[in-house]
Amino acid sequence: MTDKLGMMARLAVVAVMTPIVFCSGAWAALALWYRLPGGRIARTLGSAAWVIATGLLYASAIGWRSWLPLGVYAALHAVVLLWWFTIKPSATRDWRDDVARVPTGSVQGDRVVLDNVRHFTWRSDTDYDIRWERRDYDLTHLVSADAVLSHWGSRAIAHAMISFGFDDGHQLVFSVEVRKSRDQQYSSLGGFFKQFETILVIAGEDDIIRVRTNIRGEDVYLYRLDIERTTLRALLLSYVQAANQLATRPAFYNTFTSNCTTLVYRLARQVSPGLPWDMRLLLTGYLPEYLQDIGALDRSVPITTLRRRARISDRARAAPADADFSRVVRAAMTRD
């Protein structure tokens, strides 16, 4: 009886410890793969050595029926964690041209002055005219905000932006994006492991939307938000404040906790603290349904109708280079 109870206890320990060691070991292996200094060879060797050591220590713990190997593993994992927390975001990499400058803003009464507003002319992803501008806006002329969703693959995932409209027809887009250096390619998995910094790009629609529809072939939808002017103003100013914070205190991008939509949600919570959390804030392709549920989109028509009206990709691709891009893409948006 005693032997049977002992075996059951060992099996219970194995059942508990196996997922713990597997998950913590996998995390550490990926952390080493993405962030260990020394290039690809060093990262490969470091990650492989960790996997081998984890497997040997866990096998030894089971084979020897001893806690000592697990104690050694815990100590090694603590070293990895200590190293991980020493990795800080940078503001001084060799950035790609489209994220080379960090926008900032100053507010005096109703006037907002923005520096490093991007206004590129795109012919391809590698051929473009670089232009950064200082712009001055009067918040008394702020009249609208649109949620812009850009799909590039799965319908469940989209990049989310906010475009603020002024009564003279000008639009100003705020977009939380990955800040990539010249030698980096985007990886959603790498986004969990401090591979990228965050940048808040401020740009006109003829730059930041046109490059997605006309150059990258993404499918873009534009939804008019139903929010009051005071909320519009507070939301825009919260974006300016966020831009200034990133300019002085760089931050890592995180695929799950600090991405384009979760940061929009945090900013919106500053304006309306009662906003509920929802999984559709992560599955951003379903963000319009969430926005309609909380009353930020027109509830008088079905979401399928709103989605059909919101699609601007074809109009964007047909827009002449010298046309008023924002006006063209909004043509006929209220028709069924």
Side-chain angles (χ1 to χ4, degrees), residues 267-305:
L267 292 170
R269 287 267 297 184
Q270 296 178 23
V271 178
S272 180
L275 281 179
W277 173 257
D278 194 288
M279 277 300 296
R280 290 170 291 186
L281 292 165
L282 297 177
L283 298 174
T284 45
Y286 304 109
L287 187 61
E289 286 85 348
Y290 171 78
L291 293 173
Q292 189 177 57
D293 286 348
I294 65 173
L297 291 184
D298 187 358
R299 288 176 167 174
S300 66
V301 294
I303 192 64
T304 53
T305 301

Side-chain angles (χ1 to χ4, degrees), residues 161-164 171-175 201-205 208-209:
M161 303 170 277
I162 299 293
S163 179
F164 292 94
Q171 298 286 146
L172 185 67
V173 183
F174 290 79
S175 176
V201 176
I202 306 177
E205 290 185 342
I208 204 165
I209 294 180

Side-chain angles (χ1 to χ4, degrees), residues 144-162:
S144 66
D146 299 306
V148 184
L149 299 184
S150 183
H151 298 260
W152 66 92
S154 168
R155 298 305 301 173
I157 302 297
H159 178 71
M161 303 170 277
I162 299 293

Side-chain angles (χ1 to χ4, degrees), residues 27 30-37 43 80-90 93 95 178-181 184-198 250-258:
W27 175 87
L30 288 168
L32 291 166
W33 166 252
Y34 280 107
R35 293 299 305 182
L36 190 65
R43 292 187 289 111
V80 173
L81 286 174
L82 289 173
W83 160 74
W84 182 254
F85 289 119
T86 66
I87 302 173
K88 303 299 181 184
S90 172
R93 304 187 196 280
W95 305 110
V178 172
R179 194 180 192 194
K180 291 178 287 189
S181 61
Q184 285 182 318
Q185 298 294 327
Y186 177 71
S187 163
S188 56
L189 185 57
F192 287 103
F193 293 96
K194 296 184 177 182
Q195 191 175 28
F196 309 107
E197 278 77 14
T198 297
F252 282 117
Y253 180 92
N254 185 282
T255 303
F256 187 77
T257 62
S258 183

Side-chain angles (χ1 to χ4, degrees), residues 10 167 210 213:
R10 287 194 295 273
D167 57 15
R210 192 195 290 267
T213 54

Side-chain angles (χ1 to χ4, degrees), residues 240-263:
V240 174
Q241 181 182 21
N244 289 337
Q245 287 178 346
L246 283 172
T248 58
R249 192 168 63 245
F252 282 117
Y253 180 92
N254 185 282
T255 303
F256 187 77
T257 62
S258 183
N259 57 46
C260 64
T261 311
T262 55
L263 289 181

Side-chain angles (χ1 to χ4, degrees), residues 137-144 164-172 236:
Y137 292 92
D138 186 343
L139 293 179
T140 63
H141 294 278
L142 178 64
V143 294
S144 66
F164 292 94
F166 295 82
D167 57 15
D168 61 358
H170 282 91
Q171 298 286 146
L172 185 67
L236 189 150

Side-chain angles (χ1 to χ4, degrees), residues 62-80:
I62 294 175
W64 300 346
R65 298 180 183 180
S66 169
W67 289 100
L68 179 60
L70 290 180
V72 173
Y73 171 77
L76 292 175
H77 200 275
V79 172
V80 173

